[in-house]
């Protein structure tokens, strides 16, 4: 049943919600006549808190603090960095329930998903704690006996990071842990729509004993804050997770000032289900994965290519499972899909459906807003949509799944690779030939065959083509935060 329901008690939620603030030079700051914005619960449209914006002076203070702190933090022992990161991992495990509930309140995902997000991120802290002790340089054999030549890896400096609302804890902790573990300092602007997680992260680092200025949290009008920080000569590296258009804009600005970038941008992930796959298992797994976080996931499967013989069986089961998803307030234990994180995504969802309809697409289930309270959109399955329709070419970033048939391997690879995106991709098959062909043939930063295995602390996460530059996680995680210095010496 797709029924949106009201939360039981707004009063209880308000009491439990994070005390929102800026975090600059080791101080939690709010008030003082600063501009504020409402944070809204998308399940009921009600404001739950006020978020202070950083003034120009606040941004300058954060930059100066990060610059000053870098002078000592860059020389800190990896053992000390590891101790702090490990402590934050422990604290986030302890606090996962409260942090998770607050994430549900400000961005809507089911509370079990939100708590899971925090728990998995504790692992990111653990991983960076271990891995920062393995930042190695190397010695290069010289051409002369009295010469020594070495490669040193040094922290790049002050980083500016911008993180989105869909995984507000995950996206922020990855950037913070990588910067801090590498010996950099960081000024981060989290998502104003869902700010509780980033404030909770700042509190944990503070309690873990991170020196003032190493981490600074600011809020404001995204375009204004990012432009100011990127242009600042203090900042040496930019890391952004968000949409492709904004990523290109920020990367251009960073390029104009010759700053390093890591860009984790949008995707349009193809799913290929071959005739020889376990079709029922694929349909069951894909419904759960597609509608996780209401489809607001950069690696969400977005184009479902099903081989002809498997098509009817897959689509029937996929539709049936989708119809059975319980949509509602993420605080309710039986909710499987919450609201869209904010109302401005609603017109976009309706436009995807309308465009598909006008091009002969069939709405098999969903396709409309649910209820009149909150920003709920029904889990939607479309069929018969042409490859050039909006939903097949533009990232839907919502709970819409278009399913189309294909005939041959070569044909489906060409269709899967036709878009400028290259983030995640998925295939289901029992044939090693097909599995090898998709691993080699898909133009994507990540290829998942017969399961979803990405975004672990020990595995690199990132896209190619328009989907981004660089990786987070895995042993690659510090690459974007380190300079390479060549040293040569003669006796
Ligand atoms: P949006 O592009 O306005 O914002 C997306 C995120 O980027 C937000 O967190 C926002 O605060 C931030 N942002 C926007 N402009 C910025 C700027 N100039 N400087 C710094 N940060 C900026 O779109 P939206 O309506 O909030 O979200 C929908 C779109 O965002 C989707 O189409 C999706 O592609 C993208 N998105 C991607 C991810 C991801 O994980 N790759 C996450 C969230 C949103």
């Amino acid at each position: 049943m797709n029924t949106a329901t009201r939360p039981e008690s707004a009063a209880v939620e308000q009491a439990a919600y994070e005390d929102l603030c800026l975090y600059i030079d080791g101080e939690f700051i709010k008030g003082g006549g600063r501009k504020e914005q409402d944070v809204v619960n998308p399940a009921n449209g009600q404001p739950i808190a006020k978020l202070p914006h950083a003034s120009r002076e606040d941004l300058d203070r954060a930059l100066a603090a990060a610059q000053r702190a870098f002078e000592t933090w860059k020389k800190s022992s990896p053992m000390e960095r590891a101790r702090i990161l490990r402590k934050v991992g422990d604290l986030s495990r302890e606090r996962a329930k409260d942090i998770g509930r607050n994430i549900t309140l400000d961005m809507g995902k089911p509370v079990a998903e939100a708590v899971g997000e925090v728990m998995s991120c504790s692992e990111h802290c653990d991983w960076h704690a271990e891995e920062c002790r393995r930042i190695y340089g190397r010695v290069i054999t010289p051409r002369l006996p009295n010469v020594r030549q070495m490669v040193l890896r040094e922290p790049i400096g002050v980083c500016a990071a911008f993180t989105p609302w869909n995984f507000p804890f995950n996206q922020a902790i990855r950037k913070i842990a990588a910067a801090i573990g590498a010996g950099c300092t960081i000024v981060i602007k989290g998502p104003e729509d869902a700010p509780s997680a980033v404030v909770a992260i700042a509190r944990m680092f503070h309690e873990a004993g991170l020196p003032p200025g190493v981490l600074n949290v600011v809020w404001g009008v995204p375009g204004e804050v990012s432009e100011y920080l990127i242009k600042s000569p203090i900042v040496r590296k930019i890391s952004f997770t968000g949409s492709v258009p904004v990523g290109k804009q920020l990367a251009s600005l960073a390029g104009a000032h010759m700053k390093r970038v890591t860009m984790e941008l949008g995707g349009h992930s193809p799913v290929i289900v071959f005739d020889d796959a376990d079709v029922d298992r694929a349909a069951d797994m894909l419904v759960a994965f597609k509608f996780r976080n209401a489809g607001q996931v950069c690696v969400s499967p977005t184009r479902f290519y099903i081989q002809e013989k498997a098509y009817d069986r897959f689509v029937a089961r996929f539709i049936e499972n989708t119809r059975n998803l319980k949509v509602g307030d993420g605080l309710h234990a039986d909710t499987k899909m919450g609201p869209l994180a904010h109302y401005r995504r609603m017109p976009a969802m309706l436009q995807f459906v309308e465009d598909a309809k006008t091009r002969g697409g069939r709405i098999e289930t969903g396709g409309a807003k649910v209820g009149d309270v909150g920003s709920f959109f029904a889990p939607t399955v479309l069929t018969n949509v042409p490859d050039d329709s909006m939903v097949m070419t533009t990232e839907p970033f919502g709970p819409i799944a278009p399913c189309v048939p294909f005939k041959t391997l070569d044909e489906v690879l060409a269709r899967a690779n036709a878009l400028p995106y290259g983030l995640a991709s998925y295939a289901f098959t029992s044939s090693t030939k097909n599995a090898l062909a998709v691993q080699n043939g898909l133009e994507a930063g990540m290829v998942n065959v017969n399961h979803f295995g990405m975004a672990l602390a020990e595995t690199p996460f990132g896209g190619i083509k328009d989907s981004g530059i660089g990786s987070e996680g895995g042993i690659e995680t510090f690459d974007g935060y380190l300079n390479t210095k060549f040293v040569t010496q003669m006796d």
Side-chain angles (χ1 to χ4, degrees):
M1 278 278 283
N2 292 327
T3 48
T5 46
R6 281 172 188 277
E8 276 140 18
S9 163
V12 172
E13 289 157 23
Q14 286 213 356
Y17 190 70
E18 181 65 63
D19 183 14
L20 300 177
C21 52
L22 307 160
Y23 180 61
I24 297 174
D25 204 8
E27 277 180 49
F28 295 93
I29 306 164
K30 59 194 285 195
R34 286 177 180 80
K35 207 179 137 202
E36 292 182 328
Q37 78 174 75
D38 281 336
V39 177
V40 173
N41 179 345
N44 58 19
Q46 296 300 312
I48 45 177
K50 296 265 185 211
L51 178 71
H53 281 198
S55 63
R56 217 20 93 78
E57 293 71 37
D58 289 328
L59 295 180
D60 286 338
R61 212 179 132 216
L63 286 166
Q67 187 178 34
R68 194 176 55 249
F70 180 62
E71 290 311 310
T72 40
W73 189 247
K74 69 181 179 188
K75 298 176 204 149
S76 62
S77 158
M79 305 306 283
E80 172 62 0
R81 297 175 206 165
R83 184 193 66 72
I84 291 171
L85 286 166
R86 214 175 283 114
K87 178 72 184 162
V88 172
D90 291 342
L91 287 173
S92 51
R93 265 182 285 269
E94 278 167 28
R95 296 177 191 181
K97 231 172 120 194
D98 288 343
I99 299 171
R101 187 199 47 230
N102 288 342
I103 292 174
T104 299
L105 284 172
D106 60 26
M107 67 73 60
K109 70 174 63 173
V111 72
E113 282 183 30
V115 172
E117 177 184 339
V118 180
M119 293 297 282
S120 76
C121 291
S122 333
E123 285 189 29
H124 289 291
C125 286
D126 297 346
W127 170 260
H128 285 84
E130 288 302 318
E131 211 50 28
C132 75
R133 296 160 60 186
R134 302 189 188 98
I135 295 174
Y136 303 131
R138 69 184 193 279
V139 175
I140 300 172
T141 309
R143 296 181 181 198
L144 298 169
N146 58 340
V147 166
R148 169 140 302 166
Q149 12 183 61
M150 290 177 295
V151 177
L152 306 183
R153 302 276 277 158
E154 297 182 333
I156 194 164
V158 175
C159 306
F162 309 98
T163 55
W165 42 262
N166 59 339
F167 289 92
F169 195 93
N170 174 304
Q171 314 275 17
I173 198 84
R174 284 172 164 228
K175 297 186 193 313
I176 295 169
I180 288 177
C184 296
T185 59
I186 179 166
V187 180
I188 184 166
K189 189 201 77 58
E192 286 75 16
D193 293 306
S196 62
V198 175
V199 176
I201 289 171
R203 292 194 195 287
M204 293 188 288
F205 274 102
H206 187 82
E207 286 174 42
L210 189 72
V214 176
L215 166 66
N216 303 274
V217 175
V218 296
W219 309 100
V221 176
E224 291 174 13
V225 177
S226 60
E227 188 174 341
Y228 193 72
L229 295 181
I230 294 170
K231 283 183 173 171
S232 164
I234 291 173
V235 168
R236 295 309 327 153
K237 191 245 155 72
I238 317 300
S239 183
F240 172 74
T241 300
S243 65
V244 172
V246 175
K248 286 184 174 174
Q249 198 187 316
L250 300 191
S252 306
L253 190 57
H257 294 267
M258 203 43 75
K259 313 228 163 141
R260 288 262 286 281
V261 294
T262 300
M263 291 280 150
E264 297 287 353
L265 306 179
H268 204 303
S269 308
V271 180
I272 303 172
V273 180
F274 288 93
D275 285 341
D276 57 36
D278 181 339
V279 173
D280 291 350
R281 177 175 172 271
D284 294 350
M285 287 173 70
L286 282 163
V287 166
F289 197 62
K290 167 68 211 175
F291 297 107
R292 179 176 72 118
N293 206 4
Q296 303 166 118
V297 184
C298 53
V299 294
S300 186
T302 44
R303 290 173 285 154
F304 292 70
Y305 299 105
I306 319 299
Q307 205 163 15
E308 278 178 332
K309 282 191 204 131
Y311 183 80
D312 288 344
R313 185 183 177 111
F314 176 91
V315 170
R317 192 163 174 123
F318 191 85
I319 293 168
E320 190 193 338
N321 287 356
T322 302
R323 287 194 179 123
N324 288 334
L325 286 173
K326 171 89 171 91
V327 177
D329 188 319
L331 289 180
H332 296 165
D334 58 348
T335 292
K336 287 285 179 263
M337 195 185 97
L340 302 176
H342 42 65
Y343 200 82
R344 53 180 192 276
R345 296 299 299 151
M346 189 63 76
M349 293 305 111
L350 294 167
Q351 209 186 341
F352 280 113
V353 173
E354 200 46 45
D355 175 82
K357 260 198 317 200
T358 57
R359 289 158 180 274
R362 270 195 306 276
I363 303 168
E364 302 288 357
T365 184
K369 185 177 187 301
V370 179
D372 21 325
V373 178
S375 51
F376 294 91
F377 192 82
T380 298
V381 181
L382 305 174
T383 55
N384 204 41
V385 275
D387 279 4
D388 63 354
S389 62
M390 200 179 146
V391 73
M392 294 293 277
T393 52
T394 307
E395 184 179 30
F397 219 70
I400 305 180
C403 298
V404 293
F406 76 92
K407 282 191 172 61
T408 68
L409 173 67
D410 288 347
E411 170 212 330
V412 79
L413 283 176
R415 288 167 78 187
N417 291 335
L419 298 189
Y421 300 97
L423 192 56
S425 57
Y426 308 90
F428 287 83
T429 180
S430 59
S431 137
T432 46
K433 179 170 167 277
N434 287 338
L436 205 61
V438 295
Q439 287 163 33
N440 291 334
L442 283 171
E443 293 169 5
M446 294 167 285
V447 181
N448 297 258
V449 181
N450 292 330
H451 83 141
F452 314 115
M454 295 164 301
L456 306 174
E458 64 273 27
T459 60
F461 184 98
I464 59 169
K465 295 162 78 178
D466 272 6
S467 294
I469 300 171
S471 297
E472 294 181 338
I475 58 168
E476 291 81 358
T477 201
F478 292 120
D479 287 349
Y481 295 87
L482 296 169
N483 282 331
T484 298
K485 181 186 273 178
F486 173 66
V487 176
T488 180
Q489 180 187 327
M490 184 179 270
D491 286 343

